[in-house]
Every structure is written in structure tokens, then in C-alpha cells.
Amino acid sequence: MSDIDNCTHDCSTCGVDCPSREASGNNPADFLEEPHQFSSIKKVIGVISGKGGVGKSMVSALLAVLLNRMGYKTAVLDADITGPSIPKMFGLHGKAGATDSALLPVSTKMGIDIMSVNLLLEDETSPVIWRGPVIAGVVKQFWTDVIWEDVDFMFVDMPPGTGDVPLTIFQSLPVDGIVVVTSPQELVSMIVTKAVAMAKMMDIPILGIVENMSYATCPDCGKRINIFGESKLEDTATKHGLEVLAQIPINPTLSEASDQGLIELFDGDWLDIAAAKIESMLDK
Ligand code: ADP
């Protein structure tokens, strides 16, 4: 059965470009959800990747930490509902609070506000076995029903891929810019092309590409080892007219810090250019 045969007549949960969508308007702004009345969020940055495990959550977390260190109030909306890893990176295991009409994010030690499905589940190790529209609905609620107070930069750790769920999220949240995270192996695939196409369709600027797990540094001699061969990053970026924001090495200290919930203590300057570019969004 085609997607159109499955039509639920709810365009907000569907990315299919069909005639009835035309009738309801094709403007991305048509599907935007309002944040909670007590929320204040200046800029929303979506962090995307083609597949899981390339470090999208790591980059979301590191950017939130960096901008926080620069004196801004930051937040992470963990939209990777089936693979939530943000709370663990920050060492959060508590439950999100709630009022009669809203959910409250959990604050990290440095004061970064986090909302994730793992902060709501009775048992954080339970798998989330929900269908796409339900997942997208939960992410929308993380936007509409959570009080995000005085946030300068919110990072949305998106579900991997360019399927229906990320598309619905992009239609529902007013994303100001996208950071594409890739790994060297991924660059040779079509993912960057797909991500660029999705961003263009949504009319959202891509801030640039971050290549994670780019290389390793020999602990003895400091030599840079290109584990996956020569990087294709520059070629790919040029092909799509994108800026290279960073190349992050495979770094055991980084994975240890994230495994131990101590990502806020990370030490590294890989994402400084990306952070400065995001900071400059406030001028616009
Ligand atoms: P994604 O969000 O894309 O699924 P994650 O950010 O959760 O991926 O990263 C997957 C795993 O790889 C995590 O255990 C994380 O700690 C580790 N990791 C990510 N980037 C690096 C890196 N540059 N060096 C070492 N480990 C990393």
C-alpha cells in the first residue's frame, strides 16, 4: 500500500507531498506549534545525522556545554526518542518535574535544561516501542508542554535519518539552523545530499557540517591517523556549498566523560568555530 493509501488526513504527521497537502497549504509555517506560554526560547538549532551512532547526541551536548560556558542559557530537547542518550551524558537519572499544566526540564550541574523521554520513563532502560506519529507527538509535547525558561539556545537532538519523524519535527518546531553531523564513512553515502534537500524543503539554513570520529591521534607520538582514509569532508562540503564547522577526533577521554555522565567537564576546542557561528545567530 502506498503512503497516500494510508492517509489519516493529518498532514502534521505526514511528509508525503500529495494533492490534499496542496489544498491545506504547503507553507512550512502552517504546521508550527506554539511553545508553552511561559517559555522563552531565542534560537533553536536542530542537530541531524543520517544514521545512529555517529555522535549526533555528543555534538548536541558539547555545543550546549560550550555556549553555556560562553555565558548563555542553553537547553537540549532530546528528540531522539528511541535512542535517548542525552540524560546519561550529563549524569541525569532523576525524573522531570511537572505542574498541573506543564512539564519542567531537569537542570544539569551547570544549569543546562534537559528534556528527554528517559527523564519520564519509570525504568530508563525500557525500550520505547512507539510508531512514528506517536514519537513525533511526544517531541511536539516537549516543545508545547515543557516550560523552557529564558533559553538563549536550544539544541534539538533529532532522530537519525530524513524520514517522516524528523520531517514532522522540523515542520512543528521553529528551527533556526541545522548542524549536520557525519562520520567519515557516512560522507560517501547519500546522507548529506538528503539532509541538504530536507533542509531546503523546510527552508531552514544549514549552519554547516561536523565530521565526528574523523581521525585518531597516536597517544605516544601525537601523529594524526586517518583511520577511514583521506577525508572526503571538504569535497562534500564544497559540492553542497556548506561550511565545515569541525572535525572531531575519536577521543577516549570524550567517550569516557560521556559514559560517566561528566560531559560538562570535557576539554577540547574542536567545536569553538561552530559555537561562535551559533552565537552570532543572536545578532540576526
Ligand atoms: P548518535 O547520537 O549519533 O546516535 P552518540 O552521540 O550517542 O551517537 O555517540 C555514540 C557513541 O559514540 C557514544 O557512546 C559516544 O560516547 C561515542 N562517541 C561519540 N563521539 C565520539 C568521539 N569523538 N570519540 C569517542 N567516542 C565518541
Side-chain angles (χ1 to χ4, degrees), residues 77-250:
L77 188 162
D78 186 359
D80 193 353
I81 301 290
T82 55
S85 40
I86 292 291
K88 185 165 182 276
M89 287 183 178
F90 286 94
L92 299 178
H93 299 283
K95 290 273 167 291
T99 68
D100 285 348
S101 63
L103 283 169
L104 304 172
V106 176
S107 269
T108 68
K109 295 174 199 74
M110 277 169 61
I112 300 170
D113 281 352
I114 311 281
M115 181 51 77
S116 167
V117 76
N118 262 13
L119 298 172
L120 299 170
L121 295 173
E122 270 316 309
D123 173 5
E124 65 182 15
T125 60
S126 305
V128 172
I129 314 168
W130 297 333
R131 292 189 193 280
V134 179
I135 294 176
V138 169
V139 176
K140 279 190 218 172
Q141 280 185 286
F142 284 177
W143 175 254
T144 56
D145 297 0
V146 173
I147 298 178
W148 298 101
E149 255 181 311
D150 297 323
V151 172
D152 294 307
F153 297 104
M154 170 185 279
F155 296 91
V156 182
D157 183 6
M158 295 289 292
T162 49
D164 211 38
V165 178
L167 194 59
T168 308
I169 297 169
F170 274 120
Q171 286 176 328
S172 313
L173 271 56
V175 180
D176 297 289
I178 291 176
V179 173
V180 183
V181 182
T182 64
S183 65
Q185 302 122 298
E186 223 197 1
L187 274 177
V188 291
S189 77
M190 279 185 304
I191 174 54
V192 180
T193 312
K194 284 183 196 264
V196 171
M198 181 168 81
K200 282 207 177 120
M201 198 176 123
M202 298 285 109
D203 212 10
I204 304 170
I206 298 184
L207 301 170
I209 312 183
V210 172
E211 187 182 64
N212 188 33
M213 307 191 195
S214 235
Y215 59 95
T217 308
C218 172
D220 296 324
C221 66
K223 189 173 169 222
R224 179 174 164 144
I225 307 160
N226 292 326
I227 297 170
F228 305 104
E230 264 319 300
S231 172
K232 314 263 186 321
L233 183 61
E234 292 293 345
D235 290 350
T236 312
T238 310
K239 184 172 152 204
H240 296 288
L242 299 178
E243 186 176 336
V244 173
L245 293 177
Q247 286 185 288
I248 307 178
I250 296 175

Side-chain angles (χ1 to χ4, degrees), residues 56-66 76 86 89-90 263:
K56 175 178 51 59
S57 306
M58 175 73 91
V59 170
S60 307
L62 292 180
L63 286 172
V65 173
L66 274 179
V76 185
I86 292 291
M89 287 183 178
F90 286 94
I263 199 66

Side-chain angles (χ1 to χ4, degrees), residues 28-76:
D30 288 350
F31 303 108
L32 282 184
E33 300 277 342
E34 288 290 323
H36 191 278
Q37 57 170 325
F38 297 136
S39 287
S40 159
I41 307 145
K42 289 193 184 133
K43 295 288 171 192
V44 179
I45 295 103
V47 184
I48 68 170
S49 69
K51 58 178 185 185
V54 300
K56 175 178 51 59
S57 306
M58 175 73 91
V59 170
S60 307
L62 292 180
L63 286 172
V65 173
L66 274 179
L67 270 302
N68 171 289
R69 283 184 194 163
M70 288 158 76
Y72 296 101
K73 172 81 184 280
T74 62
V76 185

